Amino acid sequence: MALKQILPKVFYSDINVGLKFFIDGMGFTLGYHDDSLYIVNRDDITFLLVDSKEFAEGDRPEIRIATDNIEAIYQEIKDRAPEILHPNSKVVSHKPWGLKEFATLDPTTVCIIFQQPV
């Protein structure tokens, strides 16, 4: 089992500002997008850019961590502290964007999502 990468989510009131900064400014490429989610990549670095004025004005951090064995890290956390499993994502599930995920939540609402490619 290994934790491999952190994938931060960054909120923007105007998504074009974020896309210009990451793509035009730093050479990231757009890997996926829908109405509000834009995933940009460069080398081994990934950022999730979200078009959300509400969250851009006052968000709590949500951080993604990539792993090569999501079942092992899930079992470890479930055994150690099941109370921190996020109520909306407390089991490993397959997502339509090609990942298996589960999440944890601290008392201040900091959310850590663990993910692994399907």
Side-chain angles (χ1 to χ4, degrees):
M1 174 182 66
L3 302 179
K4 297 175 66 173
Q5 185 182 28
I6 296 174
L7 298 109
K9 185 181 275 188
V10 182
F11 298 98
Y12 288 94
S13 295
D14 178 358
I15 196 65
N16 292 313
V17 171
L19 293 171
K20 182 177 180 180
F21 178 69
F22 280 91
I23 294 171
D24 297 342
M26 293 187 287
F28 281 71
T29 58
L30 183 61
Y32 171 85
H33 73 89
D34 60 26
D35 293 337
S36 62
L37 174 66
Y38 296 76
I39 299 176
V40 295
N41 308 286
R42 181 174 176 175
D43 303 318
D44 293 327
I45 303 299
T46 301
F47 281 88
L48 291 81
L49 310 180
V50 179
D51 187 6
S52 174
K53 181 177 180 180
E54 175 187 11
F55 285 112
E57 292 175 351
D59 70 282
R60 294 297 300 142
E62 179 177 297
I63 300 167
R64 292 180 164 265
I65 300 175
T67 181
D68 64 353
N69 191 336
I70 197 163
E71 286 80 8
I73 191 69
Y74 171 76
Q75 194 61 51
E76 177 186 322
I77 291 170
K78 183 179 176 188
D79 290 346
R80 180 180 296 148
E83 70 279 3
I84 70 168
L85 292 170
H86 194 296
N88 297 329
S89 187
K90 60 184 170 184
V91 297
V92 176
S93 62
H94 290 235
K95 301 298 182 183
W97 44 88
L99 298 173
K100 294 187 286 186
E101 298 181 356
F102 78 94
T104 60
L105 187 67
D106 85 357
T108 69
T109 69
V110 172
C111 180
I112 306 294
I113 299 170
F114 292 86
Q115 69 178 51
Q116 179 181 352
V118 175

